[in-house]
Amino acid sequence: MTGTTSDSRRSVPRRLRDHVGAVGLAYLGVCAVLLIWALAVTAGESTDASMAGVIPLLATAPASLVLLVLPDYSAMFITAIALGAAVNTAIIGWCTRALRRGGRPEH
């Protein structure tokens, strides 16, 4: 119970970094940049626009592959990328904590 009171006093970025680690936050940043880049390229009239959405989709796979069953709307594309990035970040955070902990059990 003492962990919850100290968690409520810390800022959201600090709590996020504590849960997913620096690597997870870096991954989230890369995914955000890739998504913004894909949306910017797609909005413009260029020949690369058709393949721009594949890059953030692959960066957030396998969870973002839910896009294949969602309707073809840009909001669904953003949702799939956000969902994939969130799931992968949670996995990265779990792995980071497990590696830091080593053989010690978690409290």
Side-chain angles (χ1 to χ4, degrees), residues 2 11 32 34 37-38 40 44 49 58 62-63 68 79 85 92 94 96-97:
T2 58
S11 67
L34 287 174
W37 169 79
L58 290 177
L68 298 175
T79 301
I92 290 169
W94 177 78
T96 302
R97 285 189 307 277

Side-chain angles (χ1 to χ4, degrees), residues 16-57:
L16 188 61
R17 188 178 65 79
D18 288 345
H19 289 289
V20 299
V23 177
L25 287 178
Y27 174 77
L28 271 179
V30 168
C31 290
V33 167
L34 287 174
L35 179 61
I36 292 168
W37 169 79
L39 292 173
V41 169
T42 304
E45 298 293 327
S46 73
T47 58
D48 294 335
S50 63
M51 293 301 290
V54 173
I55 305 229
L57 184 67

Side-chain angles (χ1 to χ4, degrees), residues 57-102:
L57 184 67
L58 290 177
T60 57
S64 66
L65 294 180
V66 72
L67 176 70
L68 298 175
V69 297
L70 294 175
D72 190 24
Y73 300 116
S74 60
M76 293 302 167
F77 173 74
I78 294 169
T79 301
I81 300 299
L83 175 70
V87 168
N88 289 345
T89 300
I91 293 169
I92 290 169
W94 177 78
C95 290
T96 302
R97 285 189 307 277
L99 288 172
R100 278 191 200 139
R101 189 174 58 244

